[in-house]
Structures are given as structure tokens and as C-alpha cells.
Amino acid sequence: MKERSKKMKRSSLNRVTPTPYLLLVPTLLLFAIFTYYPFFKTIFLSFSVTDKTGAFSKWVGLRNWVRVLGKESFWTTVGTTLKFAGLNLVFTFAIAMFFALLCMNKKRGSKIYEVLYAMPLAIASSPAAAIWLFLFRKESGLLNYFLGTAFAWTEDASVALIATSIVTIWMHIGASFIFLLVGFRNVSEELVESAIIDGAGPIRRIFSVLIPIASPQIFFVLFLNITNSFKAFAQIKLLTGGGPSNSTKTLIFSVYENAIINGRFETACVQALVLFAIIFLATRVQFFLEKRTVFYQ
Amino acid sequence: MKKIALLLMVLSVAVMPFAAFGQAAPAAKVAVPAGRTEVIWWSNFSGSMQKSLLTMIEKYNAEQKKYFVRFEFQGGASDLMAKLQATGQSALPDMFSGAVEHTGFFAASSFCKPLQDFIDKDKWDYSTTYPHLITAYSDGEGRQMGYPVGNSFAGIYVNMDMFKKAGIDPYKELKSLQDVYRVAKIMVEKKYAKYGVAFHNNGYYVNAALAVEGVDSVNAGNGYKGRADASLYDKGATYKAMYSMLDAYQKIYAGGYGIPYGTDCNGEVVPKFAKGELAMFVGVISFHNRILTSGGDKLDIGMVPMPGCSENSRSTGLPAGGTGSFIANNGKPASQAGAYDFIKWMAEPEQAAYWAVSTGYLPVSSNAAATETYQTFMNRVFPRAKYCLDAQMKGDKITKTPYLPIANELLKANLLSIERVANDPKYSIDKAIKEATASVNEALELYNLAN
Amino acid sequence: MTIQKQKKIFLSALSFTLKVALGLLFISPLIICVLFSFQPEELIGKTPPTFFTNRPTLDHYRWVFQNISVLSYMKNSLVVCFITITCQVFFASLAAYAFAFFEFPGKSLLFTLILASMMIPGDIVIITNYAQIQKWGMTDKYIGLVLPHLISGTAIFLMRQCYMTLPKDIKSAATIDGCGDIGFLFRIAMPLSIPSVASLSIYLFILIYNQYFWPLLVTNKDTMRTIQIGMAMLVSSERLEYGPLLAGAATCILPVVIIFIFGQDYIVKGMTAGSVKG
């Protein structure tokens, strides 16, 4: 007992112990080898040309960047990426919001439909793409049947992006829904009741009470959706392969295409870094806006 | 705690019934019998073709005691190629599957060992192999890189009844894509067919059409005489051919004479053809079985060789298509020898005939075609194949697709050029050609810079 | 019962039914997948579609199980998930503990670094990691499959949120009672964080179970492959028939859906811990 209290005294006096660093060793080691080292290698490779095995071959400095950024098709890809992200953001958020509002009040059996609204988040992109591929068929596809349309969803350049968005939105609503739901449920009863007493109708209540109180979640959800839609990959690969006519080629798909299909690592590295920059920017914007407009209790 | 227990219980109950189905042990689960050298084959063959291959492998393993071949599926063609590139030498397999148009790519890579190295020591006589295949699978100096397995034939499936009614002989009239446009127009306008033509969407058909036309895609003798570093799409005769080809595509779709480019072939085009609504389907021989099983066995189907681009088409010989086997450079001579032995075995007439019959590919050699197995099949199911085979034998003027160390960029650039003009009747053909040329040039430039 | 009460009950029942119906509509692709996977192939392609056929067949499932070693793949997927989850939870707890209960120089820098790692798209690190795993001869082994994923920024973030909600007095009280730093971690903090651990586990399970490209690269032998690869083989093949495709998809998503339904509470609690005050 005495030795322990001595030890305690020592550790409470000596605030900076090696303990936290030791605790972080496995984490930092793994990150260093499998995240940071490849990342820096990527930056390095983006200034060079790689040979047929993907290894460094020649240093070309900024020429790579100039070449990649100077291509019209690159900016088309960026545009497609932003369009895709926009579609995903708006619809995922809107539908998730709608579901969250529906489930706002915990009632008996509400768990049943809550599970249903969130379920697609558990579905992997491969089986999801497989199922939607089946639904998207032009001739006897069920989507066309129920909508009465005759679109070649995954083969027509004018709708292919919408098709991939539908699948991505469907898969991502679940996560946003859960976050928003918790945010809304966190609004205290009294606040809502006093709003009702003040004569606020349901719409007023939503905009003046719910949304401000749940604004942390709302912003987190918006941010989550932006980054997710930049990284959405497997469904694009399986549904359209980036086509038709490159209409669904987003930046991440272009990275994959250059790295894996074309064997052009240096180009992939440049594009990946641009993607990283976009995601980073989006994060910064979100943090900035959060400080200005989010209301914390 | 209770919840977790419940969860585990439910899971185990859910999985149990599946065990009742019993598992057919895939070849991978069987251990290598003692005393045999293992031969590992990385391939992208899937579905029913994989099944046929597995059957053949079983037969080979049973027939001899020296080697044991193991088939390992590695995803799609591009996944396989990426994996091969990224794998270190000692981890490479002993043989791998590759498309013929990528022969140049394999030759330039570090993971492929030329088949010629083995042929030289062995003096294998494979002279009855169709000449255009021999050339297509060899490098610029005539050294054999690999050997064909799936002999794909690019051409036009035609509905003979429609052509008879229209009074057109497809074998005489369809010499170029411009002809295809002309005939498609007639078919639709005179109501012989609901749809004039459909295309299998792949950049390979650009290579093929240019090859039939008789023009080079890139400089340096189409890549066979030294390092190619520039695309010829925007120059001279090749430019004229590209223009004519893209113009034909554009006019077909602008006039609405074709099924939209990019439509799923197996799911929609084949059924339409089988139902007798489609006059022409530009595709490869592997669609044949599918057409037959979709009800097309009641149709009189013709198979016209791949057309060229314009009226200047020299229509000499046939471009080679399909997939072959290559030996990997993994520094293991014993298992490489096994791979070579297996490749030779698959090329034997009876084996090659079995493969052709079960998959719908054409046989790779005239010996294989002459076997009773294949002849019975052909006479019963696809008599017109005779025409294709004869055409293949006449290949003394070998038509060549480009020999390049870059693979997918070329195909993608080609495909994109067609997509651009097919989807937009107002898209400038010159612009499409310029885009394709720039893409190919850039890819070549980067490759040459780095290697 | 008053008319008012009756009306209320009716409206509430109606609202419930509508919400459930909407939910079913929302997951209709999954329902369709399961229903159609039991139909004979000729019926699947036909319009108008039959939902409940009187000729259900297990043919497609039989085909899937005979041609794709589903049990072997599932076993591999589950083993990989188990190893990854255990390690991530453990390492993340250590790291989160450090960030939540200690002050040390470089703390915010390190944390930012870890956050930044979450923004690096996986595809650009995957090839280098594959080359590394190859160099160490770890292909076709479980260690190769799991090594790069034994820790993640998400895990650390989640666990840190959890630990930050533990009142600091607990630590001081424990210290006074004679508990060392490590003792506190293992005997008090970790047990208290079980809800977060549970939800992190489920979240990670979904993530790892659904991996495709990494297992494809690292495994060559069929015996080591995971379930998503088997699934993708069905999709990328000739796409001639949809029956096996749907049966394969249904098989693939079954374990995850089950875990999700049962674990939904935990997922909700864990995903949102710390993002809500109080």
C-alpha cells in the first residue's frame, strides 16, 4: 500500500509520463507504415514518372501536374465529381431528414420502421450494385416497369449518373437518418411544448426549434455525405465502369483507372492528391461554417 | 450478454441449412498429389467457360502423372493484369490468361516469359494453327509470346432471311462499315427489320476495322518495327479510315437505324436478334452460343467477317481476337515446363475441339476443326462457321492489330471515340479523332519516357 | 371510449401503418432480391413481374453454393472481421485513453494527424500496401489480410468521444484509491465503454465484411478468399442469368442484415455518442 501511494504521488506530480506515448505506439506505428508512408510516396510519385511495375522511374517535377491539370477531360471529371457529390448531398440529406422527422417521436413499435429506414447502410456495395443492376435493366427491369419509363439506366449517358446516384443515395440514407434522428430526439420536450403553447404550427416548430437544436448533427451529416460521395467507388465500377462516354467517371474512379487499369501510377497520384485537397477543403469549410451557424446548447 | 447469446444462436441457425447443400470441392481444395509439380494458372475466365476449363484441367491431371495444374480466378481482365504487374517475381503464377491485343503489353512487361523459349528447345509443330493467330501472338520479330485458347472471331451476325427478302447478299455487300450503314438504312426504312444493326461496345472493334482496312494504327510499322511513339489516327490513310468509320457510326445512330450503342449485349441485343427483330449484330463468336440458347436456333444465321472502314478497305485476312495462355516469368523452370506441357496439351486437336464446342469459340487450328467432335457440332449447330474457318485458313495476308506496350488506354480511347459520335449526331468527328489521337499519344509518350 | 380517443387511436394506427409501408417500400430492392432469388429463371426476366410464384426453386442457391465456396469465404470473412475488430478496439482504446485522460506535448498535433488519415482515399495507399505485404511474404495469409486495417481514425475518434464523456472525477477517485494509469484503463474505463465498443464492433464488422479490392489483391488461393470476391465474381461474369446473381447477393447480405437488426440499438448509441451533449 505504501509503495503504491508513493508511485501515485510520483505520477501525479510528474504529469508528463511516457504512458500516453506508449499507449499511442501501436497506433502510430500502424499509421506510419500503412497510411503515411504510402501517402508521402504518393506525393513523391506525383512529381515523377513510373515505369511498368509502378516503381519510380524519372523525376519530372511539375510537368506531371501541368499535364494532368491541363487536360480538359480532367476538369470534366472534376465537374462530374462535383455534380455527383451535389446530387448525393441534396437527396440523401432531404430524404434522411424526412425520415428523421417522421420518427421524431418515439412511439410504440417505432423501432420497426426505424430499422427499415436505416437498413441499406448495412448492405455492401457489391450486392447492392448487383441488385440494382437487376432493377435497372431497360427491357424487363422493374424500375422501368413501375415508373412506366423506358430508360437504359446504366447505358445511356444522360441518365447513368442519376442511376449511380440513386444507388449511392439509397445506401447512404441510413447513416444520416440515424444521426439526425438522435439529434431530433435530443430536443427537450419542454422546448417543443413551449413552442406549441406559443402557437407554433408543425412547420414553424421544425424550422425554429428542431433545426437549430439539431444543427450540430445536421452539419455533421452534410459533411459526412460530402466526403462519402467523393469516395463512392464500388458501385460505379460495377454499374457503369465509369461510362458511358465517361459520364460517370468521378475523380476516385479515375484514380483507380489510372492506377490499376492503365498502370499509370503517377497520374493516379496527382489525381488522388487533388481529390484529397477537395475533401480537405470541404472539411475546412464545414468547420468554419459550423463555428458561425451551429447552435450548441 | 443475453442479446449477444441470442445473436450468436440466430447466426448459427441461419448458416446451418446452407451446409446441407453440400460443397463441391473446387479444384483449389484438392492437395497436390505426391511427386507432382504444381502448375498455377491465373485466369479471368468465369462462368460456364471456367467450368469447361476446370473439366479440362481435371482431365489433364488425371491423364499424366508429372504435373498438377491449378486454376486460380483473379477477377476481370483488368484486375488480372493489374495483379500481374504488382506482384513480385517469386509470387507470380506459372501461366496466365491474356487477350491477344495485349500481346505487345505482355512482351514489354517483366512478368511474361516468351513461349518461344520453350518452343525452341522442344521443336513443337503447331503449324496447323491458323496463321493470323500465330502472328497475333508473336512479337515484332516473329517470336511466339503465347498461344491462343479462345479464338474469337469478330464479325457480323446476319439474319439471312431478312437479307434474302431484301435481295442483298451480305457476304458480298458488307465490306465496310459504310456498307453496314447503307444496309441498315435499307433494312429499317423498307421495314425488313425493326432494328438495322447493333454493336458490341468495345474499343477492340476499332483496331479490328482498321486492320481489315489495311492501315496502321501507330507508327513504327504498327509497332512491329521498333518503338511506336505516335498514333496515326490523324494522318493520311489512317485518318481517312477513322473518319469513314466514325462517320458510319454517327450516321447509323443519327438516323435511328441501330440499337443504342452500349446496350447490354447479352441481356438485350441477343434476345432481339434471336427473336428476328435485328438484321445485323457486330460482335464476336462467343455470342453465338448465347444466340442459339435464346431461341435463335430457329433462325438462319450468317456470319460475315469484320468489315473495314471505307470503300478503300483492302479486306485482307482477319484480325485476331480472343484470349490465350502465356507463361509467367517467375524463375521456376520446373513448373514453367509444366505450364508449357499443359498449353501444348490444350492445343491438341481433340482438346481444342472440346473447348471450341463447349464455349462457342472457333477452334484454334485446322486440325482441331477437322476433328469429328467439331465437325458434328458445326454441322448440327452452326454450319456457317465453315465460312469463317475457310477465311481463317486463307490468311496469308495477315491482318495485324497494333503491337503496343500500352493496352487499356488504347482500347479506352477507341471506345470513347465511337461513344462520342454514336451518342451525339452533332459531335465533330474531327474532334473525336483528335481526342483519341491525343490520348494514345500521351500514353505512348509516358510509357516511353518511363521505360 | 370517447370519439376523440377512438379518432386518436385510429390516426395513430394509420400513421404507424403508413410509416411501415414507406419503410418496406424503401427496402423493396432487398425484398425483391430475396423473393426473386427463389423464382425459376424464366420468370425472373418477365414483365409483368410475379412476386410470389407458385413454383419456388432452390436451384439458384444450389448453383451458388456449388460453384462458389460460400462457407469457406464466409469463414474467412468472419475470421478477418474478428481479428480486425479485436485489434482495432484494443489499439483504439489505448490511443483514445491517451487523448482523453492525459495532457502531453504534441497531443493536438498527433490527434490532427490521426484525423487527417481519415481523409486519405484508400485507393492511393492500397498498391503500396500490397507491395509491402508481398515483400514480407504475407500474401494468402490472414495476417496479410488484416495488417493495414488494425487501426483506423474512425475507431480512435469514436472511442475518444466515449472516454471524453466519462467524468474526470472517476479518474481522480480511482487514482486516490490506488489504481495506476493502466489499471484504470483496464478495470474501469474499458468496462464502462462497452456500449461504444459494441457499436464500433458492429460498424467495423460491416466495413471489413464489405471489403473487396484489398482481399482480391492479397489472396490468390481460393481457400483464402472472402465473401465479397465471391459475390463480385457473379457480377462480373457473363451476366447471363439473374437468378444466381440475386441468390448470391441475398446470401452475401444475410449475416450483416441479421447483425444490424439485432445490433441497431448499439449502432445508434455508438455512432452518436459524444456528438450530442448530455
Side-chain angles (χ1 to χ4, degrees):
Chain A
M1 205 52 198
K2 251 200 177 162
E3 303 96 82
R4 259 205 247 160
S5 48
K6 261 206 217 143
K7 231 190 188 171
M8 262 177 351
K9 261 212 181 135
R10 241 183 278 142
S11 64
S12 56
L13 282 176
N14 184 11
R15 290 238 93 206
V16 184
T17 67
T19 319
Y21 297 106
L22 287 174
L23 290 170
L24 285 169
V25 163
T27 303
L28 293 175
L29 200 64
L30 284 167
F31 271 136
I33 302 177
F34 294 108
T35 309
Y36 293 126
Y37 166 65
F39 181 63
F40 287 114
K41 194 157 183 212
T42 305
I43 298 184
F44 177 68
L45 285 179
S46 74
F47 292 110
S48 65
V49 180
T50 53
D51 72 7
K52 57 196 174 216
T53 60
F56 170 79
S57 169
K58 275 203 195 74
W59 179 264
V60 292
L62 286 176
R63 252 174 71 187
N64 252 352
W65 284 85
V66 170
R67 175 178 58 86
V68 174
L69 295 181
K71 264 171 65 165
E72 192 192 322
S73 56
F74 175 74
W75 294 105
T76 315
T77 306
V78 173
T80 310
T81 310
L82 293 174
K83 241 193 280 177
F84 184 68
L87 270 177
N88 279 306
L89 181 64
V90 168
F91 284 98
T92 309
F93 182 72
I95 301 179
M97 187 70 135
F98 175 63
F99 283 157
L101 288 172
L102 279 185
C103 300
M104 203 167 61
N105 303 311
K106 219 172 184 173
K107 293 207 185 97
R108 235 182 11 157
S110 64
K111 279 250 182 67
I112 297 182
Y113 45 80
E114 280 168 35
V115 166
L116 294 177
Y117 296 145
M119 205 185 287
L121 93 86
I123 312 295
S125 2
S126 304
I131 299 174
W132 279 96
L133 214 50
F134 174 67
L135 296 173
F136 276 144
R137 289 181 309 166
K138 178 166 174 232
E139 286 297 297
S140 27
L142 291 175
L143 191 63
N144 276 336
Y145 178 73
F146 284 119
L147 291 179
T149 53
F151 289 118
W153 292 100
T154 53
E155 292 144 10
D156 188 343
S158 49
V159 289
L161 195 62
I162 298 180
T164 43
S165 300
I166 291 179
V167 179
T168 315
I169 292 171
W170 184 75
M171 291 188 335
H172 289 163
I173 286 182
S176 303
F177 161 69
I178 291 181
F179 279 109
L180 288 175
L181 185 62
V182 173
F184 288 159
R185 292 242 174 107
N186 201 45
V187 176
S188 64
E189 291 283 326
E190 310 144 353
L191 224 52
V192 180
E193 271 165 25
S194 57
I196 297 180
I197 291 173
D198 281 347
I203 309 280
R204 250 340 269 300
R205 285 206 298 272
I206 293 176
F207 280 94
S208 309
V209 179
L210 283 184
I211 290 189
I213 304 287
S215 48
Q217 278 73 42
I218 293 182
F219 261 95
F220 179 70
V221 162
L222 283 171
F223 165 66
L224 190 71
N225 279 313
I226 296 178
T227 48
N228 275 343
S229 54
F230 282 124
K231 293 206 225 159
F233 169 71
Q235 33 313 7
I236 298 184
K237 173 170 192 261
L238 291 172
L239 285 173
T240 57
S245 308
N246 291 343
S247 56
T248 55
K249 190 151 100 164
T250 55
L251 211 44
I252 191 105
F253 189 82
S254 191
V255 170
Y256 162 79
E257 195 183 53
N258 275 304
I260 310 295
I261 300 188
N262 293 344
R264 287 261 66 91
F265 284 105
E266 71 284 316
T267 313
C269 289
V270 172
Q271 294 182 336
L273 288 172
V274 173
L275 181 62
F276 174 73
I278 295 181
I279 297 181
F280 189 72
L281 220 81
T283 324
R284 291 285 111 205
V285 170
Q286 192 247 358
F287 271 62
F288 177 74
L289 285 179
E290 188 172 1
K291 284 200 176 59
R292 292 295 182 88
T293 61
V294 170
F295 174 77
Y296 280 103
Q297 294 190 76
Chain B
M1 215 52 230
K2 246 203 230 164
K3 251 195 172 169
I4 299 179
L6 179 63
L7 185 59
L8 284 173
M9 269 193 327
V10 171
L11 263 181
S12 39
V13 167
V15 174
M16 262 194 323
F18 293 143
F21 279 116
Q23 292 277 286
K29 289 216 179 123
V30 180
V32 183
R36 294 214 200 191
T37 313
E38 197 183 23
V39 175
I40 302 201
W41 182 11
W42 279 8
S43 175
N44 57 316
F45 277 112
S46 63
S48 54
M49 290 192 190
Q50 192 187 104
K51 260 223 183 102
S52 304
L53 281 175
L54 290 174
T55 314
M56 291 177 83
I57 291 177
E58 245 183 82
K59 189 163 174 225
Y60 175 76
N61 285 340
E63 272 181 17
Q64 46 77 45
K65 300 247 185 304
K66 200 160 177 213
Y67 303 107
F68 190 77
V69 174
R70 204 194 283 286
F71 181 92
E72 285 182 355
F73 179 72
Q74 300 296 344
S78 20
D79 292 332
L80 172 59
M81 276 164 58
K83 202 158 176 191
L84 284 167
Q85 282 191 94
T87 307
Q89 195 194 30
S90 53
L92 282 173
D94 303 300
M95 56 188 272
F96 62 91
S97 301
V100 63
E101 62 261 24
H102 295 158
T103 304
F105 174 72
F106 296 134
S109 77
S110 52
F111 56 82
C112 177
K113 191 159 169 68
L115 198 62
Q116 192 68 40
D117 292 348
F118 298 87
I119 298 175
D120 282 337
K121 289 193 219 135
D122 185 50
K123 314 250 185 309
W124 177 27
D125 177 13
Y126 53 98
S127 52
T128 63
T129 312
Y130 291 111
H132 70 302
L133 289 175
I134 295 182
T135 316
Y137 280 93
S138 52
D139 70 4
E141 287 129 35
R143 302 179 71 237
Q144 209 69 33
M145 295 305 300
Y147 191 80
V149 170
N151 177 9
S152 198
F153 180 86
I156 318 179
Y157 293 99
V158 294
N159 185 322
M160 293 304 285
D161 290 325
M162 284 181 193
F163 274 78
K164 274 199 203 99
K165 272 202 208 119
I168 306 179
D169 178 358
Y171 293 96
K172 290 216 179 68
E173 300 270 356
L174 294 175
K175 293 289 182 203
S176 77
L177 283 167
Q178 289 285 344
D179 290 333
V180 171
Y181 158 67
R182 197 174 38 84
V183 170
K185 186 166 183 221
I186 296 176
M187 286 293 176
V188 172
E189 281 178 355
K190 298 236 173 70
K191 304 237 196 303
Y192 295 117
K194 193 166 170 205
Y195 307 100
V197 61
F199 293 92
H200 176 210
N201 55 329
N202 190 300
Y204 166 76
Y205 293 95
V206 171
N207 289 356
L210 290 176
V212 172
E213 180 89 355
V215 295
D216 286 348
S217 302
V218 294
N219 62 0
N222 217 13
Y224 285 92
K225 299 196 177 63
R227 266 198 172 189
D229 58 7
S231 159
L232 294 177
Y233 286 168
D234 57 347
K235 297 188 180 60
T238 312
Y239 167 71
K240 289 208 191 87
M242 281 293 288
Y243 195 92
S244 176
M245 164 170 55
L246 292 178
D247 178 62
Y249 275 110
Q250 193 168 55
K251 287 204 288 240
I252 290 174
Y253 286 105
Y257 305 126
I259 297 182
Y261 191 77
T263 307
D264 177 22
C265 287
N266 276 320
E268 287 190 38
V269 174
V270 164
K272 288 203 168 76
F273 186 81
K275 265 192 274 179
E277 296 173 343
L278 176 62
M280 299 179 276
F281 172 35
V282 179
V284 284
I285 199 81
S286 39
F287 285 115
H288 182 247
N289 266 0
R290 180 74 176 147
I291 295 179
L292 294 180
T293 55
S294 307
D297 46 342
K298 306 187 191 67
L299 288 180
D300 185 9
I301 308 176
M303 185 77 180
V304 175
M306 182 74 198
C309 307
S310 69
E311 70 271 6
N312 296 325
S313 168
R314 287 186 240 152
S315 287
T316 54
L318 301 160
T323 311
S325 293
F326 297 80
I327 298 191
N329 185 21
N330 64 357
K332 296 191 190 132
S335 11
Q336 284 173 331
Y340 174 63
D341 189 66
F342 180 62
I343 293 177
K344 280 206 308 187
W345 181 86
M346 279 193 73
E348 283 171 18
E350 271 309 316
Q351 314 308 335
Y354 167 77
W355 167 254
V357 166
S358 54
T359 57
Y361 277 123
L362 288 179
V364 296
S365 62
S366 50
N367 272 4
T371 59
E372 201 183 319
T373 318
Y374 193 74
Q375 287 293 318
T376 330
F377 165 76
M378 194 177 70
N379 292 327
R380 184 172 50 90
V381 163
F382 192 28
R384 305 270 175 186
K386 195 155 182 298
Y387 185 88
C388 311
L389 297 173
D390 289 342
Q392 292 201 318
M393 269 319 289
K394 283 206 227 102
D396 42 277
K397 301 234 174 60
I398 311 290
T399 318
K400 294 186 289 214
T401 43
Y403 180 79
L404 289 174
I406 59 164
N408 290 303
E409 289 106 314
L410 178 67
L411 289 179
K412 263 273 158 77
N414 289 347
L415 179 63
L416 188 61
S417 65
I418 302 181
E419 280 179 331
R420 291 264 192 247
V421 299
N423 291 331
D424 180 359
K426 295 211 198 58
Y427 201 89
S428 153
I429 298 181
D430 279 325
K431 187 163 175 220
I433 296 179
K434 232 198 245 153
E435 271 177 346
T437 315
S439 297
V440 177
N441 279 344
E442 182 185 317
L444 285 173
E445 185 198 318
L446 276 177
Y447 179 84
N448 289 330
L449 183 61
N451 294 281
Chain C
M1 257 207 262
T2 61
I3 304 279
Q4 284 288 50
K5 245 200 175 160
Q6 273 184 324
K7 209 175 166 195
K8 237 192 164 180
I9 294 181
F10 172 72
L11 278 177
S12 137
L14 183 66
S15 136
F16 177 78
T17 318
L18 284 177
K19 287 180 189 168
V20 173
L22 184 61
L24 289 174
L25 179 67
F26 188 56
I27 63 162
S28 53
L30 299 175
I31 302 179
I32 291 176
C33 172
V34 175
L35 284 180
F36 278 55
S37 66
F38 290 110
Q39 284 183 12
E41 186 66 37
E42 317 83 62
L43 279 188
I44 295 184
K46 283 221 166 60
T47 41
T50 4
F51 285 102
F52 294 103
T53 171
N54 48 9
R55 299 189 273 145
T57 169
L58 287 175
D59 276 347
H60 304 308
Y61 285 96
R62 221 172 272 140
W63 190 96
V64 169
F65 277 90
Q66 277 171 5
N67 289 286
I68 301 189
S69 350
V70 178
L71 286 185
S72 162
Y73 294 155
M74 277 248 220
K75 174 192 76 148
N76 290 329
S77 286
L78 291 177
V79 169
V80 169
C81 285
F82 181 74
I83 300 178
T84 312
I85 292 176
T86 315
C87 288
Q88 280 219 22
V89 166
F90 185 65
F91 292 143
S93 296
L94 294 183
Y97 180 54
F99 283 121
F101 284 98
F102 291 85
E103 289 300 325
F104 50 94
K107 173 170 163 176
S108 60
L109 172 68
L110 283 173
F111 190 66
T112 315
L113 276 180
I114 292 175
L115 270 191
S117 76
M118 286 166 76
M119 288 189 278
I120 299 179
D123 294 277
I124 58 177
V125 301
I126 210 168
I127 297 292
T128 316
N129 286 340
Y130 173 57
Q132 206 72 302
I133 295 286
Q134 251 193 83
K135 229 192 269 169
W136 291 332
M138 290 180 185
T139 50
D140 276 324
K141 298 206 181 80
Y142 285 127
I143 177 94
L145 275 170
V146 303
L147 201 54
H149 306 118
L150 291 180
I151 191 63
S152 71
T154 321
I156 298 180
F157 197 78
L158 270 167
M159 293 310 292
R160 175 177 171 266
Q161 297 291 77
C162 169
Y163 284 169
M164 286 197 6
T165 61
L166 297 177
K168 291 283 183 328
D169 324 329
I170 295 193
K171 176 110 197 281
S172 337
T175 321
I176 293 177
D177 276 346
C179 191
D181 288 331
I182 305 301
F184 175 72
L185 173 65
F186 284 105
R187 274 190 267 153
I188 300 182
M190 276 187 172
L192 279 180
S193 66
I194 284 193
S196 287
V197 168
S199 67
L200 176 64
S201 306
I202 295 173
Y203 170 76
L204 284 176
F205 178 80
I206 297 179
L207 212 66
I208 307 292
Y209 183 81
N210 292 340
Q211 274 183 336
Y212 167 69
F213 199 56
W214 176 251
L216 181 69
L217 276 181
V218 172
T219 58
N220 301 320
K221 309 240 171 289
D222 198 55
T223 44
M224 286 304 293
R225 289 222 154 125
T226 57
I227 189 76
Q228 294 302 326
I229 301 180
M231 184 61 231
M233 284 184 342
L234 279 177
V235 174
S236 67
S237 69
E238 298 143 349
R239 224 196 286 166
L240 298 178
E241 284 148 8
Y242 283 96
L245 190 74
L246 295 174
T251 316
C252 199
I253 62 185
L254 183 67
V256 194
V257 169
I258 291 181
I259 290 197
F260 178 75
I261 294 180
F262 280 93
Q264 205 219 357
D265 269 344
Y266 287 115
I267 297 185
V268 175
K269 277 204 203 111
M271 271 169 95
T272 54
S275 66
V276 173
K277 298 276 176 172

